[in-house]
Amino acid sequence: KIKKKMEITNNFGIQVHQFSADIQENITIFYMVFALEESYFIWIGTSTPSLSEINISMMISNDKVPTTTNLLGFQLDEPGYDISQRLAKKYKKIFYVSFNVPESLLMVPGTTSVIEKELINELKKL
């Protein structure tokens, strides 16, 4: 369930959307979406701000799978890598995704799916 929502637009045409969602009892995930002209930068995390990874995905020519790489961090099997790839494929835009949710919160099966579902529900409104 979405708890808070705020929209800010600055003079450079960057729209900033902030919201949070309760994904489990006593677990709130925070989101920041920076909507640029042809791309999005998405930060997902907990109340402790961090920037432990950044992944970028984009569709190239006639490829069926987005080209994805890790810009910050070391593991390619992180949820942010997969989320950025699925978003790029779905929306045909460039997606930078920084996924900063501690692994301890992801131990419950389906948690990552719920986090992504809440994000997609908000992206549909942009």
Side-chain angles (χ1 to χ4, degrees), residues 100-121:
N100 304 281
V101 178
E103 285 186 37
S104 61
L105 298 182
L106 302 177
M107 299 310 259
V108 176
T111 300
T112 303
S113 297
V114 173
I115 291 170
E116 185 174 353
K117 181 181 173 186
E118 294 292 346
L119 173 62
I120 289 172
N121 286 340

PDB file of all heavy atoms in Angstrom, residues 100-121:
ATOM      1  N   ASN A 100      18.802  -0.719  -3.063  1.00  0.00           N
ATOM      2  CA  ASN A 100      19.556  -0.659  -1.804  1.00  0.00           C
ATOM      3  C   ASN A 100      18.768  -1.230  -0.637  1.00  0.00           C
ATOM      4  O   ASN A 100      18.694  -0.635   0.431  1.00  0.00           O
ATOM      5  CB  ASN A 100      19.939   0.798  -1.521  1.00  0.00           C
ATOM      6  CG  ASN A 100      20.715   1.388  -2.673  1.00  0.00           C
ATOM      7  OD1 ASN A 100      21.893   1.139  -2.798  1.00  0.00           O
ATOM      8  ND2 ASN A 100      20.037   2.123  -3.535  1.00  0.00           N
ATOM      9  N   VAL A 101      18.180  -2.392  -0.854  1.00  0.00           N
ATOM     10  CA  VAL A 101      17.413  -3.067   0.187  1.00  0.00           C
ATOM     11  C   VAL A 101      18.294  -4.168   0.769  1.00  0.00           C
ATOM     12  O   VAL A 101      18.807  -5.000   0.013  1.00  0.00           O
ATOM     13  CB  VAL A 101      16.108  -3.663  -0.381  1.00  0.00           C
ATOM     14  CG1 VAL A 101      15.345  -4.408   0.696  1.00  0.00           C
ATOM     15  CG2 VAL A 101      15.242  -2.557  -0.994  1.00  0.00           C
ATOM     16  N   PRO A 102      18.492  -4.182   2.079  1.00  0.00           N
ATOM     17  CA  PRO A 102      19.348  -5.210   2.681  1.00  0.00           C
ATOM     18  C   PRO A 102      18.862  -6.622   2.362  1.00  0.00           C
ATOM     19  O   PRO A 102      17.650  -6.884   2.334  1.00  0.00           O
ATOM     20  CB  PRO A 102      19.242  -4.933   4.184  1.00  0.00           C
ATOM     21  CG  PRO A 102      18.765  -3.532   4.295  1.00  0.00           C
ATOM     22  CD  PRO A 102      17.941  -3.267   3.076  1.00  0.00           C
ATOM     23  N   GLU A 103      19.812  -7.522   2.142  1.00  0.00           N
ATOM     24  CA  GLU A 103      19.473  -8.910   1.828  1.00  0.00           C
ATOM     25  C   GLU A 103      18.612  -9.551   2.906  1.00  0.00           C
ATOM     26  O   GLU A 103      17.773 -10.402   2.613  1.00  0.00           O
ATOM     27  CB  GLU A 103      20.743  -9.735   1.620  1.00  0.00           C
ATOM     28  CG  GLU A 103      21.412  -9.455   0.291  1.00  0.00           C
ATOM     29  CD  GLU A 103      22.588 -10.390   0.047  1.00  0.00           C
ATOM     30  OE1 GLU A 103      22.506 -11.585   0.423  1.00  0.00           O
ATOM     31  OE2 GLU A 103      23.573  -9.922  -0.507  1.00  0.00           O
ATOM     32  N   SER A 104      18.797  -9.136   4.130  1.00  0.00           N
ATOM     33  CA  SER A 104      18.013  -9.715   5.231  1.00  0.00           C
ATOM     34  C   SER A 104      16.514  -9.478   5.047  1.00  0.00           C
ATOM     35  O   SER A 104      15.698 -10.283   5.491  1.00  0.00           O
ATOM     36  CB  SER A 104      18.467  -9.143   6.570  1.00  0.00           C
ATOM     37  OG  SER A 104      18.282  -7.740   6.600  1.00  0.00           O
ATOM     38  N   LEU A 105      16.142  -8.387   4.374  1.00  0.00           N
ATOM     39  CA  LEU A 105      14.722  -8.119   4.120  1.00  0.00           C
ATOM     40  C   LEU A 105      14.196  -8.885   2.917  1.00  0.00           C
ATOM     41  O   LEU A 105      12.987  -8.970   2.709  1.00  0.00           O
ATOM     42  CB  LEU A 105      14.503  -6.618   3.898  1.00  0.00           C
ATOM     43  CG  LEU A 105      14.846  -5.703   5.061  1.00  0.00           C
ATOM     44  CD1 LEU A 105      14.541  -4.256   4.706  1.00  0.00           C
ATOM     45  CD2 LEU A 105      14.096  -6.107   6.317  1.00  0.00           C
ATOM     46  N   LEU A 106      15.095  -9.435   2.113  1.00  0.00           N
ATOM     47  CA  LEU A 106      14.688 -10.135   0.898  1.00  0.00           C
ATOM     48  C   LEU A 106      14.579 -11.639   1.097  1.00  0.00           C
ATOM     49  O   LEU A 106      14.319 -12.377   0.144  1.00  0.00           O
ATOM     50  CB  LEU A 106      15.682  -9.837  -0.232  1.00  0.00           C
ATOM     51  CG  LEU A 106      15.858  -8.360  -0.586  1.00  0.00           C
ATOM     52  CD1 LEU A 106      16.927  -8.207  -1.655  1.00  0.00           C
ATOM     53  CD2 LEU A 106      14.548  -7.737  -1.033  1.00  0.00           C
ATOM     54  N   MET A 107      14.757 -12.102   2.321  1.00  0.00           N
ATOM     55  CA  MET A 107      14.735 -13.540   2.597  1.00  0.00           C
ATOM     56  C   MET A 107      13.344 -14.153   2.425  1.00  0.00           C
ATOM     57  O   MET A 107      13.213 -15.318   2.118  1.00  0.00           O
ATOM     58  CB  MET A 107      15.265 -13.825   4.004  1.00  0.00           C
ATOM     59  CG  MET A 107      16.704 -13.365   4.196  1.00  0.00           C
ATOM     60  SD  MET A 107      17.803 -13.940   2.919  1.00  0.00           S
ATOM     61  CE  MET A 107      18.589 -15.277   3.750  1.00  0.00           C
ATOM     62  N   VAL A 108      12.311 -13.362   2.626  1.00  0.00           N
ATOM     63  CA  VAL A 108      10.952 -13.865   2.452  1.00  0.00           C
ATOM     64  C   VAL A 108      10.681 -13.969   0.955  1.00  0.00           C
ATOM     65  O   VAL A 108      10.830 -12.981   0.220  1.00  0.00           O
ATOM     66  CB  VAL A 108       9.918 -12.932   3.127  1.00  0.00           C
ATOM     67  CG1 VAL A 108       8.506 -13.397   2.860  1.00  0.00           C
ATOM     68  CG2 VAL A 108      10.193 -12.829   4.616  1.00  0.00           C
ATOM     69  N   PRO A 109      10.305 -15.160   0.468  1.00  0.00           N
ATOM     70  CA  PRO A 109      10.047 -15.316  -0.964  1.00  0.00           C
ATOM     71  C   PRO A 109       8.991 -14.327  -1.467  1.00  0.00           C
ATOM     72  O   PRO A 109       7.992 -14.078  -0.810  1.00  0.00           O
ATOM     73  CB  PRO A 109       9.528 -16.761  -1.074  1.00  0.00           C
ATOM     74  CG  PRO A 109      10.083 -17.456   0.129  1.00  0.00           C
ATOM     75  CD  PRO A 109      10.136 -16.410   1.204  1.00  0.00           C
ATOM     76  N   GLY A 110       9.259 -13.756  -2.626  1.00  0.00           N
ATOM     77  CA  GLY A 110       8.315 -12.837  -3.249  1.00  0.00           C
ATOM     78  C   GLY A 110       8.503 -11.384  -2.870  1.00  0.00           C
ATOM     79  O   GLY A 110       7.832 -10.515  -3.432  1.00  0.00           O
ATOM     80  N   THR A 111       9.393 -11.081  -1.933  1.00  0.00           N
ATOM     81  CA  THR A 111       9.576  -9.697  -1.490  1.00  0.00           C
ATOM     82  C   THR A 111      10.036  -8.804  -2.632  1.00  0.00           C
ATOM     83  O   THR A 111       9.510  -7.710  -2.829  1.00  0.00           O
ATOM     84  CB  THR A 111      10.578  -9.626  -0.321  1.00  0.00           C
ATOM     85  OG1 THR A 111      10.070 -10.400   0.757  1.00  0.00           O
ATOM     86  CG2 THR A 111      10.778  -8.199   0.136  1.00  0.00           C
ATOM     87  N   THR A 112      11.004  -9.277  -3.417  1.00  0.00           N
ATOM     88  CA  THR A 112      11.500  -8.478  -4.539  1.00  0.00           C
ATOM     89  C   THR A 112      10.388  -8.221  -5.549  1.00  0.00           C
ATOM     90  O   THR A 112      10.267  -7.122  -6.095  1.00  0.00           O
ATOM     91  CB  THR A 112      12.698  -9.177  -5.220  1.00  0.00           C
ATOM     92  OG1 THR A 112      13.711  -9.390  -4.239  1.00  0.00           O
ATOM     93  CG2 THR A 112      13.258  -8.329  -6.339  1.00  0.00           C
ATOM     94  N   SER A 113       9.538  -9.202  -5.777  1.00  0.00           N
ATOM     95  CA  SER A 113       8.413  -9.038  -6.708  1.00  0.00           C
ATOM     96  C   SER A 113       7.435  -7.977  -6.224  1.00  0.00           C
ATOM     97  O   SER A 113       6.928  -7.181  -7.021  1.00  0.00           O
ATOM     98  CB  SER A 113       7.675 -10.359  -6.896  1.00  0.00           C
ATOM     99  OG  SER A 113       8.506 -11.314  -7.477  1.00  0.00           O
ATOM    100  N   VAL A 114       7.180  -7.956  -4.931  1.00  0.00           N
ATOM    101  CA  VAL A 114       6.274  -6.948  -4.362  1.00  0.00           C
ATOM    102  C   VAL A 114       6.890  -5.564  -4.504  1.00  0.00           C
ATOM    103  O   VAL A 114       6.200  -4.602  -4.878  1.00  0.00           O
ATOM    104  CB  VAL A 114       5.952  -7.267  -2.881  1.00  0.00           C
ATOM    105  CG1 VAL A 114       5.165  -6.133  -2.235  1.00  0.00           C
ATOM    106  CG2 VAL A 114       5.189  -8.571  -2.774  1.00  0.00           C
ATOM    107  N   ILE A 115       8.188  -5.438  -4.239  1.00  0.00           N
ATOM    108  CA  ILE A 115       8.878  -4.153  -4.377  1.00  0.00           C
ATOM    109  C   ILE A 115       8.775  -3.659  -5.817  1.00  0.00           C
ATOM    110  O   ILE A 115       8.461  -2.497  -6.070  1.00  0.00           O
ATOM    111  CB  ILE A 115      10.354  -4.286  -3.940  1.00  0.00           C
ATOM    112  CG1 ILE A 115      10.432  -4.511  -2.425  1.00  0.00           C
ATOM    113  CG2 ILE A 115      11.163  -3.052  -4.350  1.00  0.00           C
ATOM    114  CD1 ILE A 115      11.812  -4.887  -1.917  1.00  0.00           C
ATOM    115  N   GLU A 116       9.008  -4.548  -6.770  1.00  0.00           N
ATOM    116  CA  GLU A 116       8.927  -4.171  -8.189  1.00  0.00           C
ATOM    117  C   GLU A 116       7.495  -3.843  -8.602  1.00  0.00           C
ATOM    118  O   GLU A 116       7.258  -2.890  -9.350  1.00  0.00           O
ATOM    119  CB  GLU A 116       9.475  -5.312  -9.046  1.00  0.00           C
ATOM    120  CG  GLU A 116       9.538  -4.977 -10.518  1.00  0.00           C
ATOM    121  CD  GLU A 116      10.206  -6.058 -11.346  1.00  0.00           C
ATOM    122  OE1 GLU A 116      10.758  -7.030 -10.784  1.00  0.00           O
ATOM    123  OE2 GLU A 116      10.182  -5.923 -12.581  1.00  0.00           O
ATOM    124  N   LYS A 117       6.532  -4.582  -8.109  1.00  0.00           N
ATOM    125  CA  LYS A 117       5.123  -4.334  -8.446  1.00  0.00           C
ATOM    126  C   LYS A 117       4.685  -2.939  -7.990  1.00  0.00           C
ATOM    127  O   LYS A 117       4.013  -2.218  -8.729  1.00  0.00           O
ATOM    128  CB  LYS A 117       4.239  -5.407  -7.814  1.00  0.00           C
ATOM    129  CG  LYS A 117       2.778  -5.246  -8.116  1.00  0.00           C
ATOM    130  CD  LYS A 117       1.958  -6.331  -7.425  1.00  0.00           C
ATOM    131  CE  LYS A 117       0.486  -6.057  -7.599  1.00  0.00           C
ATOM    132  NZ  LYS A 117      -0.336  -6.991  -6.839  1.00  0.00           N
ATOM    133  N   GLU A 118       5.074  -2.557  -6.775  1.00  0.00           N
ATOM    134  CA  GLU A 118       4.729  -1.221  -6.269  1.00  0.00           C
ATOM    135  C   GLU A 118       5.351  -0.136  -7.162  1.00  0.00           C
ATOM    136  O   GLU A 118       4.723   0.875  -7.450  1.00  0.00           O
ATOM    137  CB  GLU A 118       5.188  -1.042  -4.825  1.00  0.00           C
ATOM    138  CG  GLU A 118       4.486  -1.936  -3.829  1.00  0.00           C
ATOM    139  CD  GLU A 118       3.025  -1.601  -3.628  1.00  0.00           C
ATOM    140  OE1 GLU A 118       2.566  -0.514  -4.049  1.00  0.00           O
ATOM    141  OE2 GLU A 118       2.317  -2.437  -3.042  1.00  0.00           O
ATOM    142  N   LEU A 119       6.584  -0.360  -7.595  1.00  0.00           N
ATOM    143  CA  LEU A 119       7.256   0.590  -8.479  1.00  0.00           C
ATOM    144  C   LEU A 119       6.522   0.710  -9.808  1.00  0.00           C
ATOM    145  O   LEU A 119       6.237   1.820 -10.281  1.00  0.00           O
ATOM    146  CB  LEU A 119       8.706   0.154  -8.718  1.00  0.00           C
ATOM    147  CG  LEU A 119       9.483   0.950  -9.760  1.00  0.00           C
ATOM    148  CD1 LEU A 119       9.622   2.417  -9.352  1.00  0.00           C
ATOM    149  CD2 LEU A 119      10.849   0.313  -9.978  1.00  0.00           C
ATOM    150  N   ILE A 120       6.179  -0.403 -10.415  1.00  0.00           N
ATOM    151  CA  ILE A 120       5.493  -0.385 -11.715  1.00  0.00           C
ATOM    152  C   ILE A 120       4.132   0.280 -11.594  1.00  0.00           C
ATOM    153  O   ILE A 120       3.730   1.050 -12.482  1.00  0.00           O
ATOM    154  CB  ILE A 120       5.386  -1.811 -12.293  1.00  0.00           C
ATOM    155  CG1 ILE A 120       6.786  -2.271 -12.720  1.00  0.00           C
ATOM    156  CG2 ILE A 120       4.409  -1.868 -13.455  1.00  0.00           C
ATOM    157  CD1 ILE A 120       6.868  -3.715 -13.134  1.00  0.00           C
ATOM    158  N   ASN A 121       3.429   0.038 -10.502  1.00  0.00           N
ATOM    159  CA  ASN A 121       2.121   0.704 -10.308  1.00  0.00           C
ATOM    160  C   ASN A 121       2.268   2.224 -10.308  1.00  0.00           C
ATOM    161  O   ASN A 121       1.419   2.939 -10.850  1.00  0.00           O
ATOM    162  CB  ASN A 121       1.476   0.239  -9.003  1.00  0.00           C
ATOM    163  CG  ASN A 121       0.933  -1.163  -9.103  1.00  0.00           C
ATOM    164  OD1 ASN A 121       0.688  -1.694 -10.182  1.00  0.00           O
ATOM    165  ND2 ASN A 121       0.761  -1.806  -7.963  1.00  0.00           N
TER     166      ASN A 121
END
